[in-house]
């Protein structure tokens, strides 16, 4: 068993090279002038005083990039209701004629130092003519109401449906009972530890972008659309990236503007963003309202389900925002349940707020939240034990094709739940609840039995390369960037397991100016099952390739060579050569390029939370948390546990603390850590009382490792489980509808209101 991850030493001893640690000779520094309002026409922009400021090199505005930079791209590979195509109104790297959200970049100041650039930004004077801001997503807007883009009628860019509309309607018509629940999935800000930064350069006719990234290849393609050059002329470079969580998947306007300036000025341009800029201008996430309904027969079997959802996409379409964050929601529409007819409709609305995109779980936590809140609510309405209600409706045989089109290949939903029930002492809950009551506290319990699709990716193939160094060390090139998931360790485990060389001799590289591979980024919890699968097969190919090289080296027929424990040997003799020696002796001959692709598979789990609320203060505490997850075969248990804990922290963060709030004028009220509460010590999973993380692996045959993704499971399972527990506790005190976040103040107010009603 490893003591830790291979990458930990470097990072814990301050030797990690983060994006803002990069510098290039002769670099200049950038600072962005941003819109201070949500929606306005730019009447004039006067940069003369700023340009005259000592040390200022150039000022780039929306007018300057016209013609040179195209819109940031966005495409949707599916059509909507009635064949509707996505309306992409376009997004310039710097605002042109109009600003559409507070924080939108309007101009880039380039100066000899970051401080000078920031000072000069104060001297840029922009005259605006305000327009009405649209802040909330609406199903329909009144004629004449404000439009975020004139080209998008009703502010709706897509109206999408999935599943069986007629069949589900028919089932609802004959149902013994129907149950409905409307929920709001709040808006959150990703907040990686490292704020966004970039260093842009134009070198030998190539654009070089050192930036926060989750995968170079996807970003190169996106940049290619903006810069109008083929991806081969672009390099995206990074070593350490201080967290991704989905919000580092796409390119951003600032990167494009910096590349434009670097080429124009013939000097590298460096920009280091601040935390305020993370809040204002990073992609934000979730913000979806869901109206869900179940049709039930007299025995508590689900006959059909329907969802009507409305997503707030912000002011512009992020490159992958509409697809990953919203349409992807309905991928696992009917969850783990055997439902004859399921249907979902989702409309994507523009507002004058920061653009939305993927964030840990990328839509799947939204679907699991909408569905698992509804299922728990239905059990309560029926007066049934929520575990029993789920048990009655589980899918039991595989393969199982769901309404949204996916086919689940494997799973043991009941086995997963049974393990979680036992670990949570399900039957003992009434006495624990009574004990809490004796201490004046409300104890609620919530469950979720989630499933998600992990592993999809836009790129047709994942390429990898393995290249040997002179000392028998192996460099592994892979398209998925490692920014906390432990890929250096788990990929090395896979390669070491096949090639029999020490893990420490394997180095992972995912981006650099000196190599070019294509493939999918880290996202959708795909790295292990998809790229890990390619690496595993690639290593086996390498062993095969080495047979001929070893035969030559050992002067034997290839048929007489065997490979085991890192050595090629002439069968039945002691004549042998290790793979490392062979690679060192025959430079280049043992290098390998390999590509393949593995797609979606379906991790699932059962999470059970118990929460205690103190009515006098509104404080909520997680007093028991059991997660039993089926991630298929597991390569590294310690890392998987860390990943589940990380996901739980993000689920608990959204349920108890975090929420991004805009006022009616579109000003962000939660623009710093003073207003936006991140989970603190005490609220982290490691501090949760009674935390139990269990595995229930059911290997999948959909990839060579039998692995399912796990990087987002913690959040997909915990959002509904925790909120179901909160709602269960509140209902004991007569509180009705209650939405996230369950902050002490909001809980206290809800309890006070219920108390007043009862009095
Ligand atoms: N693993 C394993 N066995 C399995 C599944 C996974 O040993 N059956 C290991 C993998 O080898 C990998 C880790 O667990 O080391 C996570 O693997 P995987 O589920 O493939 O997810 P990815 O590596 O693709 O990571 C993406 C996922 C996503 S989408 C977000 S968002 C996220 C997350 O991971 N962002 C993170 N976890 C994060 N963790 C950190 N520290 N920082 C982020 O930004």
């Amino acid at each position: 068993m490893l003591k830790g991850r291979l990458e930990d030493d470097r990072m814990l001893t301050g030797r990690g090279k983060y994006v803002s640690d990069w510098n290039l000779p002769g670099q200049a520094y950038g600072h962005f002038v941003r819109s201070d309002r949500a929606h306005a026409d730019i009447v004039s922009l006067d940069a003369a005083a700023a340009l005259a400021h000592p040390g200022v090199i150039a000022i780039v505005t929306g007018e300057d990039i016209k013609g040179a930079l195209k819109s940031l791209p966005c495409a949707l590979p599916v059509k909507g209701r009635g064949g509707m195509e996505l309306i992409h109104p376009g997004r310039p790297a710097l605002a042109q004629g109009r600003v559409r959200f507070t924080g939108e970049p309007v101009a880039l100041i380039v100066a000899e130092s970051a401080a000078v650039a920031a000072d000069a930004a104060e001297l840029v004077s922009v005259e605006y003519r305000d327009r009405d801001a649209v802040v909330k997503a609406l199903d329909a807007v009144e004629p004449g109401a404000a439009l975020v883009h004139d080209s998008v009628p009703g502010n709706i860019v897509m109206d999408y449906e999935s599943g069986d509309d007629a069949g589900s309607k028919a089932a609802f018509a004959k149902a013994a009972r129907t149950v409905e629940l409307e929920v709001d999935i709040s808006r959150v800000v990703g907040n990686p530890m490292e704020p966004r930064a970039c260093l842009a350069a134009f070198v030998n006719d190539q654009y070089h972008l050192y930036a926060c990234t989750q995968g170079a290849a996807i970003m190169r393609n996106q940049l290619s659309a903006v810069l109008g050059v083929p991806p081969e002329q672009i390099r995206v470079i990074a070593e350490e990236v201080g967290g991704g969580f989905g919000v580092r998947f796409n390119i951003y306007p600032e990167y494009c503007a910096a590349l434009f300036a670097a080429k124009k000025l013939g000097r590298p341009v460096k920009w280091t963003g601040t935390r305020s800029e993370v809040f204002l201008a990073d992609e934000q996430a979730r913000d979806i309202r869901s109206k869900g309904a179940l049709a039930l027969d007299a025995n508590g079997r689900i006959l059909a389900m329907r969802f009507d959802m409305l997503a707030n996409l912000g002011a512009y379409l992020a490159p992958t925002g509409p697809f990953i964050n919203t349409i992807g929601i309905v991928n696992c529409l009917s969850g783990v349940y055997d439902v004859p007819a399921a249907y979902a409709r989702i409309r994507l609305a523009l507002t004058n707020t920061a653009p939305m995109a993927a964030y840990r779980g990328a839509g799947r936590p939204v679907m699991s939240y909408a569905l698992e809140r509804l299922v728990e609510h239905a059990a309560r309405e029926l007066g049934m034990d929520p575990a029993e209600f789920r048990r009655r409706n589980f899918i039991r045989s595989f393969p199982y094709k769901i309404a949204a089109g996916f086919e689940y290949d494997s799973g043991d939903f009941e086995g997963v739940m049974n393990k979680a029930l036992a670990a949570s002492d399900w039957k003992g809950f009434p006495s624990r609840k009574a004990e809490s009551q004796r201490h004046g506290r409300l104890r609620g319990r919530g469950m979720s039995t989630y499933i998600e699709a992990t592993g999809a990716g836009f790129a047709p193939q994942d390429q990898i390369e393995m290249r040997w160094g002179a000392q028998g060390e192996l460099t592994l090139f892979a398209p998925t960037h490692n920014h906390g998931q432990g890929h250096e360790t788990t990929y090395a485990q896979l390669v070491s397991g096949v090639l029999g060389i020490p893990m420490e001799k394997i180095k992972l590289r995912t981006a650099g100016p000196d190599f070019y591979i294509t493939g999918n980024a880290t996202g959708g919890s795909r790295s292990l099952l998809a790229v890990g699968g390619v690496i595993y097969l690639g290593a086996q190919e390498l062993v095969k390739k080495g047979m001929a090289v070893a035969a030559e080296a050992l002067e034997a027929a290839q048929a007489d060579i065997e490979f085991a424990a890192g050595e090629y040997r002439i069968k039945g003799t002691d004549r042998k050569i290790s793979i490392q020696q062979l690679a060192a002796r025959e430079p280049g001959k043992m290098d390998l390029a390999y590509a393949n692709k593995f797609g979606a598979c379906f991790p699932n789990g059962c999470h059970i939370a118990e929460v205690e609320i103190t009515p006098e203060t509104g404080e909520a505490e997680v007093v028991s948390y059991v997660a039993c997850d089926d991630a298929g075969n597991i390569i590294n248990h310690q890392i998987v546990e860390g990943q589940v804990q990380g996901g739980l922290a993000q689920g608990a963060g959204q349920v108890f603390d975090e929420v991004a709030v805009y006022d009616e004028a579109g000003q962000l009220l939660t623009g710093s850590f003073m207003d936006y509460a991140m989970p603190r010590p005490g609220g982290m999973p490691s501090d949760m009382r009674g935390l139990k993380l269990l595995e229930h692996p059911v290997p999948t045959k959909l990839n060579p490792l039998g692995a399912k993704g796990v990087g987002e499971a913690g959040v997909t399972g915990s959002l509904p489980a925790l909120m179901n527990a909160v709602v269960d506790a509140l209902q004991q005190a007569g509180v009705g509808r209650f939405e996230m976040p369950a902050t002490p103040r909001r809980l206290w107010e809800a309890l006070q209101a219920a108390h007043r009603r009862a009095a």
Side-chain angles (χ1 to χ4, degrees):
M1 185 67 183
L2 284 167
K3 279 222 303 295
R5 304 179 307 175
L6 289 180
E7 50 265 66
D8 287 342
D9 256 9
R10 183 179 71 245
M11 285 190 271
L12 292 173
T13 53
R15 285 175 292 132
K17 191 166 186 178
Y18 289 84
V19 178
S20 198
D21 292 331
W22 291 93
N23 292 295
L24 290 171
Q27 73 193 16
Y29 296 81
H31 182 97
F32 287 92
V33 175
R34 296 180 182 277
S35 170
D36 60 0
R37 60 206 67 209
H39 200 189
D41 294 313
I42 300 175
V43 178
S44 66
L45 189 156
D46 183 356
L51 202 51
H53 191 67
V56 171
I57 301 163
I59 296 178
V60 184
T61 68
E63 291 304 309
D64 300 323
I65 60 166
K66 262 189 188 160
L69 294 185
K70 300 196 184 70
S71 158
L72 271 76
C74 178
L76 197 58
V78 292
K79 287 192 165 76
R81 277 157 65 98
M84 182 182 180
E85 300 272 358
L86 176 80
I87 310 175
H88 177 29
R91 180 183 190 184
L94 295 167
Q96 290 171 356
R98 187 157 153 191
V99 289
R100 293 185 172 85
F101 69 98
T102 310
E104 178 171 1
V106 171
L108 166 62
I109 317 275
V110 184
E112 295 297 345
S113 78
V116 167
D119 283 350
E122 303 287 320
L123 302 173
V124 175
S125 114
V126 189
E127 190 190 333
Y128 292 106
R129 188 185 315 113
D130 283 323
R131 286 170 173 260
D132 288 343
V134 183
V135 178
K136 289 251 171 305
L138 295 173
D139 306 274
V141 301
E142 301 287 320
L147 293 182
V148 180
H149 293 264
D150 300 339
S151 59
V152 184
N155 291 324
I156 300 282
V157 290
M158 175 46 92
D159 184 350
Y160 181 79
E161 64 182 353
S162 177
D164 180 359
D165 187 14
S168 65
K169 272 191 187 136
F172 268 83
K174 66 172 189 318
R177 181 156 190 179
T178 61
V179 178
E180 292 176 9
L181 186 71
E182 182 176 323
V183 291
D184 286 328
I185 296 96
S186 56
R187 186 183 187 105
V188 287
V189 180
N191 268 314
M193 268 204 276
E194 184 184 22
R196 225 154 19 93
C198 74
L199 174 58
F202 191 71
V203 188
N204 300 332
D205 232 22
Q206 263 187 2
Y207 287 97
H208 285 188
L209 179 72
Y210 300 74
C212 303
T213 180
Q214 294 183 208
I218 304 279
M219 280 183 126
R220 280 194 314 250
N221 292 344
Q222 294 177 356
L223 283 173
S224 153
V226 180
L227 299 169
V229 301
E232 292 76 11
Q233 241 172 287
I234 305 165
R235 295 290 182 274
V236 172
I237 304 151
E239 285 184 10
E240 249 69 80
V241 166
F245 307 115
V247 295
R248 300 290 183 253
F249 192 91
N250 291 315
I251 58 162
Y252 279 90
E254 290 86 351
Y255 304 163
C256 305
L259 285 168
F260 171 87
K263 181 177 179 202
K264 188 155 188 252
L265 301 172
R267 281 178 76 171
V269 175
K270 178 169 177 169
W271 166 64
T272 303
T274 60
R275 182 59 57 183
S276 301
E277 288 175 298
V278 168
F279 278 105
L280 286 171
D282 266 20
E283 290 163 350
Q284 301 185 0
R286 318 249 198 261
D287 202 348
I288 290 174
R289 188 205 64 205
S290 164
K291 289 182 191 165
L294 294 182
L296 302 158
D297 74 8
N299 301 316
R301 284 272 301 151
I302 304 171
L303 301 172
M305 56 176 70
R306 292 180 70 82
F307 290 93
D308 185 359
M309 297 182 170
L310 181 67
N312 182 341
L313 279 196
Y316 295 99
L317 304 184
T320 55
F323 190 58
I324 299 191
N325 200 42
T326 52
I327 302 291
I329 286 173
V330 295
N331 274 346
C332 287
L333 173 55
S334 41
V336 291
Y337 309 109
D338 178 14
V339 180
Y343 171 79
R345 176 183 184 190
I346 177 160
R347 275 163 292 175
L348 315 186
L350 296 178
T351 61
N352 294 110
T353 60
M356 307 290 270
Y359 173 59
R360 205 163 191 169
R364 286 117 55 198
V366 171
M367 188 69 235
S368 85
Y369 187 80
L371 176 58
E372 290 301 307
R373 288 283 321 273
L374 175 62
V375 162
E376 193 107 334
H377 176 67
R380 190 172 289 121
E381 292 285 295
L382 295 174
M384 269 177 81
D385 177 307
E388 180 51 33
F389 179 59
R390 287 176 167 90
R391 195 187 300 280
R392 220 169 265 194
N393 286 288
F394 279 148
I395 294 165
R396 285 165 197 283
S397 69
F398 298 89
Y400 182 95
K401 199 165 168 55
I402 62 159
F406 270 133
E407 189 173 274
Y408 299 158
D409 66 303
S410 63
D412 173 18
F413 305 142
E414 193 169 16
V416 166
M417 186 175 78
N418 286 342
K419 224 183 227 182
L421 288 175
S424 77
D425 182 21
W426 185 258
K427 294 207 175 86
F429 179 69
S431 71
R432 291 193 293 280
K433 182 169 153 182
E435 180 64 18
S436 298
Q437 261 164 5
R438 272 195 288 282
H439 293 96
R441 292 196 282 270
L442 300 163
R443 191 181 187 109
R445 178 173 64 183
M447 175 187 258
S448 78
T449 45
Y450 76 91
I451 188 162
E452 54 174 357
T454 56
F458 301 103
Q461 283 213 309
D462 287 307
Q463 294 182 343
I464 60 138
E465 282 185 29
M466 296 185 195
R467 287 190 216 154
W468 295 91
Q471 309 303 321
E473 70 278 16
L474 183 70
T475 305
L476 169 65
F477 298 88
T480 38
H481 196 271
N482 176 26
H483 41 278
Q485 294 88 349
H487 297 167
E488 279 177 57
T489 305
T490 44
Y491 287 176
Q493 277 179 261
L494 293 174
V495 175
S496 162
V498 179
L499 302 186
I501 65 174
M503 283 172 60
E504 294 73 21
K505 291 283 173 203
I506 301 160
K507 295 277 168 276
L508 175 64
R509 289 196 56 201
T510 58
D514 54 337
F515 71 97
Y516 189 92
I517 54 172
T518 64
N520 291 286
T522 299
S525 300
R526 67 184 312 282
S527 300
L528 178 73
L529 72 95
V531 173
V534 176
I535 290 168
Y536 181 65
L537 294 187
Q540 290 172 351
E541 284 299 311
L542 184 59
V543 169
K544 275 193 227 151
K545 185 176 181 182
M547 289 293 193
V549 188
E552 216 180 298
L554 295 172
E555 295 171 345
Q558 197 176 321
D560 293 336
I561 303 289
E562 62 183 9
F563 180 83
E567 291 174 339
Y568 291 98
R569 177 191 297 267
I570 303 177
K571 287 177 194 162
T573 74
D574 60 0
R575 292 196 41 218
K576 60 182 184 179
I577 184 165
S578 80
I579 193 165
Q580 286 174 287
Q581 286 166 335
L582 187 65
R585 205 172 110 170
E586 306 285 349
K589 281 198 187 166
M590 293 290 287
D591 292 351
L592 180 101
Y594 180 76
N596 210 324
K597 180 152 185 202
F598 300 99
C601 65
F602 308 95
N604 57 87
C606 175
H607 289 204
I608 301 172
E610 289 183 25
V611 166
E612 238 183 20
I613 299 172
T614 307
E616 290 80 9
T617 61
E619 272 171 305
E621 194 188 345
V622 179
V623 287
S624 164
Y625 200 96
V626 174
C628 179
D629 296 302
D630 165 14
N633 287 333
I634 287 178
I635 301 304
N636 186 311
H637 296 271
Q638 198 179 13
I639 286 179
V640 164
E641 185 178 330
Q643 285 293 309
V644 174
Q645 287 210 20
L648 277 179
Q650 280 172 298
Q654 181 159 10
V655 166
F656 294 109
D657 308 294
E658 299 178 50
V659 64
V661 182
Y662 284 90
D663 73 7
E664 279 171 14
Q667 287 294 333
L668 184 65
L669 299 181
T670 49
S672 79
F673 285 140
M674 293 296 284
D675 321 298
Y676 185 96
M678 296 290 280
R680 279 149 292 181
M684 297 296 278
S686 49
D687 304 320
M688 284 178 186
R689 275 200 264 152
L691 178 70
K692 290 186 191 149
L693 304 181
L694 314 172
E695 295 168 0
H696 188 82
V698 181
T700 173
K701 292 200 170 54
L702 298 174
N703 63 67
L705 299 172
K708 303 174 184 177
V710 81
E712 295 153 296
V715 72
T716 310
S718 66
L719 271 190
L722 286 167
M723 200 59 190
N724 278 336
V726 169
V727 167
D728 184 44
L730 290 178
Q731 288 196 338
Q732 296 161 30
V735 175
R737 183 172 176 175
F738 183 83
E739 301 285 1
M740 301 183 278
T743 58
R745 178 181 174 153
R746 287 170 47 77
L747 288 169
W748 184 82
E749 281 173 352
L751 288 165
Q752 289 295 311
H755 189 66
R756 280 196 299 276
R757 272 197 306 276

